[in-house]
Amino acid sequence: GFRTCILTNNWLDDSSGRFLTAALLARLRSHFDLVLESCRIGMAKPDPGIYSYALEALQAQPHEV
């Protein structure tokens, strides 16, 4: 009954090593219900809005996490 989430602080990677980052995130996605990347949602930790976004995406309340 638990939903799991990874909340990253990262950026869009256009370097030659981006394939390694993409492979890692793809592997993580198979183990978690949700992977939220700061570069894709436009907020970064410690902005409180990113945590509100994660709670909404998980359909959870603060006291549940």
Side-chain angles (χ1 to χ4, degrees):
F2 289 103
R3 288 183 40 96
T4 57
C5 174
I6 294 177
L7 182 56
T8 70
N9 250 2
N10 64 337
W11 55 92
L12 292 176
D13 187 1
D14 62 354
S15 71
S16 61
R18 68 184 175 269
F19 299 107
L20 295 174
T21 303
L24 173 62
L25 285 170
R27 181 169 273 198
L28 288 173
R29 286 180 201 285
S30 68
H31 296 284
F32 293 87
D33 296 304
L34 186 61
V35 176
L36 296 174
E37 298 177 71
S38 61
C39 63
R40 300 201 186 276
I41 60 176
M43 293 178 270
K45 297 182 280 185
D47 178 349
I50 199 169
Y51 300 106
S52 297
Y53 186 96
L55 286 170
E56 186 175 320
L58 286 169
Q59 298 176 351
Q61 297 297 315
H63 70 275
E64 297 176 310
V65 298

